[in-house]
Amino acid sequence: MKPIINIEGLTKDYGNHKGIFDLTFCVEEGEVFGYLGPNGAGKTTTIRHLLGFLTPDKGSSQILGMDTRTRSADIMKYLGYLPGEIAFFDQMTGIEFLKFMGEMRGLNDTKLRDRLIDLFQLDTKSRIRKMSKGMKQKLGLICAFMHDPKVLILDEPTSGLDPLMQKIFAALILEEKSRGKTILMSSHSFEEIERTCDRVGIIKRGELAATENIHDIKQKRRKTYVVTFDNAVTAADFAKSHAFDIVDIKENIVRLSIMGNVTEFIKSLDKYTVLDLDTERSSLEDIFMHYYGDSETDN
């Protein structure tokens, strides 16, 4: 595998520890790389450098071996991009905007564009100013994918999409990956990243905290389970009898936190009457807390 996106020592210091600092990572050919971090961590600043919109204080970045600052026009021929905040011509209809973007790219074959319109169930006859956030997001995604680019950079791609469209998007990403596309996808949602990505880079306060195989980081992710027992006495007995990390007990409901393998926990429930078992999704802050310790979480 060869690196398609390569970032070396990239730094943009806005002062007061805002910006990005000495970022170094690569995205290999055919890889889906998740770029994960809280809002304000530096994800969009990184992407703006990759698009050639910003000049770094130091360091460099390349896409397909081309410097992103000096050869951005050449890179755009091979790149599909979805910004975090999309600017449209609101008076245009959806199809007028797609035709306009296609003409700018010299797009002659519209088969892929039309397939994507059907896939995302986009009403292209509506004027953009009347579209919901989700509809505009679909329009942006179609623009990013319709010219069949080799490389895709997607900033918060499922923002505004309903759960069904999120699943359709995830399937599209996996299809593009199978065709050898290289994709960098930024998000503040761990669930979005884990559906599709091979590796994940975690950025915090402008610094790269880790790059991990997605399978490894999922193993280190702590989940909270909510167990509803038949009565409060049973719940108290369970909490006392097992060495799990109990978060709290409220009458007959026990919340506990487990990292990794849950086999022992499931077995431990066998002798009790359990009325309900549910899980709570970890927030990104929880993942940071359990992955790096309290000192690594945002204030």
Side-chain angles (χ1 to χ4, degrees), residues 35 41-49 54 81 84 155-156 186:
Y35 199 35
K43 301 186 302 295
T44 298
T45 299
T46 307
I47 288 173
R48 285 174 178 164
H49 279 87
L54 297 175
Y81 170 53
D155 195 355
E156 304 287 353
S186 91

Side-chain angles (χ1 to χ4, degrees), residues 219-225 238 244-245 247 256-266 268 282 290:
Q219 291 297 313
K220 295 173 184 177
R221 182 186 183 191
R222 187 176 291 267
K223 289 185 179 179
T224 300
Y225 292 85
F238 171 83
F244 299 119
D245 183 3
V247 177
L256 66 156
S257 184
I258 296 175
M259 183 183 291
N261 197 317
V262 299
T263 304
E264 182 182 348
F265 163 59
I266 298 300
S268 72
S282 300
H290 294 298

Side-chain angles (χ1 to χ4, degrees), residues 17 35 39 43 51 57 109 116 155 161 170 211 225 265 296:
H17 208 76
Y35 199 35
N39 290 328
K43 301 186 302 295
L51 272 290
D57 296 335
D109 188 346
L116 290 166
D155 195 355
L161 296 184
T211 53
Y225 292 85
F265 163 59
E296 289 292 331

Side-chain angles (χ1 to χ4, degrees), residues 177-190:
K177 174 189 169 183
S178 72
R179 298 177 59 220
K181 301 298 182 67
T182 302
I183 303 170
L184 185 148
M185 187 166 70
S186 91
S187 179
H188 62 268
S189 167
F190 187 86

Side-chain angles (χ1 to χ4, degrees), residues 1-254:
M1 291 292 182
K2 61 180 180 180
I4 298 298
I5 299 173
N6 194 38
I7 294 174
E8 296 181 358
L10 200 64
T11 298
K12 186 71 172 181
D13 190 349
Y14 293 114
N16 198 27
H17 208 76
K18 300 292 185 184
I20 54 176
F21 307 95
D22 199 28
L23 287 184
T24 298
F25 67 90
C26 68
V27 185
E28 296 181 347
E29 186 174 18
E31 181 179 32
V32 182
F33 186 89
Y35 199 35
L36 184 68
N39 290 328
K43 301 186 302 295
T44 298
T45 299
T46 307
I47 288 173
R48 285 174 178 164
H49 279 87
L50 289 173
L51 272 290
F53 298 157
L54 297 175
T55 301
D57 296 335
K58 61 179 179 179
S60 63
S61 55
Q62 297 86 33
I63 295 177
L64 294 167
M66 294 179 280
D67 184 87
T68 57
R69 185 59 182 161
T70 60
R71 299 191 62 189
S72 60
D74 295 322
I75 291 169
M76 288 299 172
K77 298 172 186 176
Y78 307 97
L79 183 69
Y81 170 53
L82 177 74
E85 296 183 6
I86 312 169
F88 294 106
F89 298 108
D90 286 350
Q91 294 304 315
M92 285 185 175
T93 64
I95 193 63
E96 285 172 348
F97 184 77
L98 290 172
K99 286 179 178 178
F100 172 74
M101 295 300 293
E103 287 171 2
M104 284 185 63
R105 287 195 170 275
L107 184 66
N108 296 315
D109 188 346
T110 60
K111 289 179 183 176
L112 177 56
R113 183 200 72 186
D114 295 341
R115 176 181 166 249
L116 290 166
I117 290 170
D118 291 340
L119 183 68
F120 284 109
Q121 301 169 25
L122 178 66
D123 177 9
T124 57
K125 295 178 182 179
S126 296
R127 296 206 177 274
I128 295 172
R129 61 183 168 82
K130 293 184 178 180
M131 289 184 177
S132 66
K133 177 175 173 55
M135 294 287 279
K136 289 179 180 178
Q137 192 73 4
K138 294 177 187 179
L139 185 59
L141 285 167
I142 293 167
C143 285
F145 283 83
M146 67 181 184
H147 57 292
D148 200 21
K150 291 182 178 180
V151 184
L152 286 145
I153 295 178
L154 310 173
D155 195 355
E156 304 287 353
T158 62
S159 176
L161 296 184
D162 62 42
L164 174 60
M165 287 298 132
Q166 289 178 21
K167 288 184 178 179
I168 288 172
F169 168 78
L172 176 62
I173 289 291
L174 294 176
E175 179 186 330
E176 293 296 278
K177 174 189 169 183
S178 72
R179 298 177 59 220
K181 301 298 182 67
T182 302
I183 303 170
L184 185 148
M185 187 166 70
S186 91
S187 179
H188 62 268
S189 167
F190 187 86
E191 284 74 22
E192 179 174 287
I193 293 295
E194 72 178 333
R195 284 180 181 179
T196 52
C197 294
D198 304 294
R199 283 192 306 138
V200 60
I202 298 179
I203 186 172
K204 182 171 175 61
R205 294 176 183 167
E207 298 179 358
L208 197 66
T211 53
E212 290 271 3
N213 180 286
I214 196 70
H215 175 75
D216 294 338
I217 200 171
K218 283 165 72 174
Q219 291 297 313
K220 295 173 184 177
R221 182 186 183 191
R222 187 176 291 267
K223 289 185 179 179
T224 300
Y225 292 85
V226 183
V227 188
T228 304
F229 294 94
D230 55 342
N231 57 63
V233 175
T234 303
D237 178 71
F238 171 83
K240 291 177 182 177
S241 302
H242 299 88
F244 299 119
D245 183 3
I246 304 298
V247 177
D248 60 44
I249 305 173
K250 292 181 180 178
E251 298 182 355
N252 65 322
I253 299 174
V254 176

